[in-house]
Amino acid sequence: MTFTKPLAQLIGHLERLPGVGPKSAQRLAFHILRMPEDDVRRLAESLVAAREQIRLCEICQNVTAQTRCEICSDSRRDSTLICVVGEPKDIAAMERLNEYRGLYHVLHGLLNPMDGVGPDNLKIRELLSRLSGPIEEIIIATNPTVEGDATALYLGRQIKQLGIKVTRLAHGMPVGGELDYADSATLLSALEYRREL
Amino acid sequence: MNVGEIPLGVSSLETRHWRNLVEQRVDLHPRLNVLVGRNAQGKTNLLEAMYLLSTGQILRGSKDAEVICWDETEALVRGVLAESETLLEVQLVGGQRKRARINGSALSRISDLLGRLPSVTFSSQDMALVRGDPAERRTFLDTSLSQLYPGYLQHLANYKRALEQRNVLLRAAQEQNVPDDQFEIWEADMAQHGALLRHRRKQYVLDLHGYGGPILCGLEPGESLAIEYEAKDRHADHEALASALSEGRREEIRRGTSLIGPHRDDLALSINGHRTRTFGSQGQQRSVALSLKMASLKVASEVLGLAPLLLLDDVFAELDRFRQSNLLSLAFDHAGQVIMTCTEVDQIAASALALGQVFSVESGQICRA
Ligand SMILES: [Zn+2]
């Protein structure tokens, strides 16, 4: 079935979004056609505004509307401490703790040859260029997956060469969780990374 | 069954929209259950439902969607463990991941079912253990070990993932320069998990040979079965594997694939020094496959201190009375609950039938006979 040109174009653009198949693209397009014209205009404007105004922080590569993000501009934060994460959403998780007072660095992905992601596709050069100033510790907080571990190892080696302390977030049992219901993978890593009392 | 071993089994089994078992509920005998029916009536489907509860997996050859009744959107298998009265459930919804619950609590991964109801199966497909590619025998080792050590599965998954990533880099390096440090980060994971996989597999095969060598299901007097782990390279520990991976890199780039590590190993089976894959009659090959499975039953019961579930699919028709009674006494010695299928009830000795319960299976209906 062929749609009239403006509709076909809209469907085509929606279809290119991640997680949107041809069927849901059609459904979204027809939903947009039924929306009040003002709402559609505001949606379109917010898409353009977000694209125009949101950029990567020049220091930590987090998404921000300024040149420098709020965390990097906050003089009360400890600039000798950098926590390295895979994605911007990981910062939000750490910040909810309200415990960590250092800065961040977002890699925007993990090393993954199968998906064509090598060191040059991540914000690694930007991280290394931050290490010329006074740094106490780099905390690597990539996911506990094969790719997260490989990325941590890659960064760890490069940073250690510069004589800077590098740590990796521990992985193990969820606090307050019951041993009986822990999944085997978590329990196994908790056993491997056990510590002396 | 040895003294002190806990017999494992399911006291009642329910299926909903599971293959042709549309709505079935069966109370099973704690020791022996014989399912009798013509082909394609549903007796193997019940065996598969038990396997699903045991491993969270569908016996090979089937995709998830194929096990859901035609025209239905989801299937459910539910069983109560005989000893602990634990309720195990596996739910399949078309197009989604399988979900498992224990006593109503959802598990984060289906593989967390492993270890609750360890099992050993034997069917005609297991002839591939003797005749098939090395991959068949590695899968046998890996699935057996995952049941004994649930953490093994995680090491295996991590190893395979790192191996795939390294293989992509090996192929990329045929066209462009890939710095050593990019290889090393995947090789570190391969060495760590690979050494562990090899260690577990070698120990397990020693046990199979030690406990299992004497178990000769159906072999002739004077024939002796040797079961050996065949590592394709000699690098056993973590460091040796890591340096071998780094040294072999140049050749592996040329070949475009990883040549060192447990993903290439095999299980060597031989009778009186002759490899059974190429040597031996069909009868001998079947005997070897059955001996291997019964040895794995015995090892599982020794390692776990439990008597595992034993699932035998249409095995008896091929065996004479002497070999049948031999197999049954092994089953009773080392298994907890036994579930077997056959096409004619008179294939099985009356003295054996008296020890358990016979069910007739017809058009997806299971009835006590
Ligand atoms: Zn920033």
Side-chain angles (χ1 to χ4, degrees), chain A residues 111-115 118-119 145-147 149-151 153-154 157-158 180-186 188 192-193, chain B residues 102-103 105 108-109 111-112 116 150-151 154-155 158 161-162 164-165 168-169 181-182 184-186 188-189 192:
Chain A
L111 291 175
N112 191 334
M114 279 152 80
D115 289 349
T145 57
V146 173
E147 287 73 27
D149 286 346
T151 308
L153 184 59
Y154 184 80
R157 285 181 176 184
Q158 305 224 349
D180 188 32
Y181 286 99
D183 67 280
S184 310
T186 305
L188 183 70
E192 277 171 6
Y193 298 95
Chain B
I102 293 181
N103 289 332
S105 309
S108 50
R109 300 165 205 233
S111 60
D112 290 328
R116 309 265 170 176
Q154 191 61 41
H155 288 295
N158 287 355
R161 182 83 185 173
E164 275 184 275
Q165 296 283 21
V168 171
L169 283 183
D181 58 357
Q182 289 191 42
E184 285 160 7
I185 56 175
W186 307 105
D189 250 16
Q192 185 206 333

Side-chain angles (χ1 to χ4, degrees), chain B residues 25-41:
Chain B
R25 189 178 173 285
V26 203
D27 289 322
L28 295 169
H29 189 275
R31 294 311 306 277
L32 179 64
N33 298 271
V34 181
L35 306 166
V36 186
R38 282 172 295 122
N39 287 330
Q41 299 299 305

Side-chain angles (χ1 to χ4, degrees), chain A residues 97-119:
Chain A
L97 287 178
N98 208 17
E99 292 282 349
Y100 176 69
R101 304 307 297 157
L103 302 180
Y104 292 95
H105 191 87
V106 187
L107 296 170
H108 290 276
L110 298 173
L111 291 175
N112 191 334
M114 279 152 80
D115 289 349
V117 182

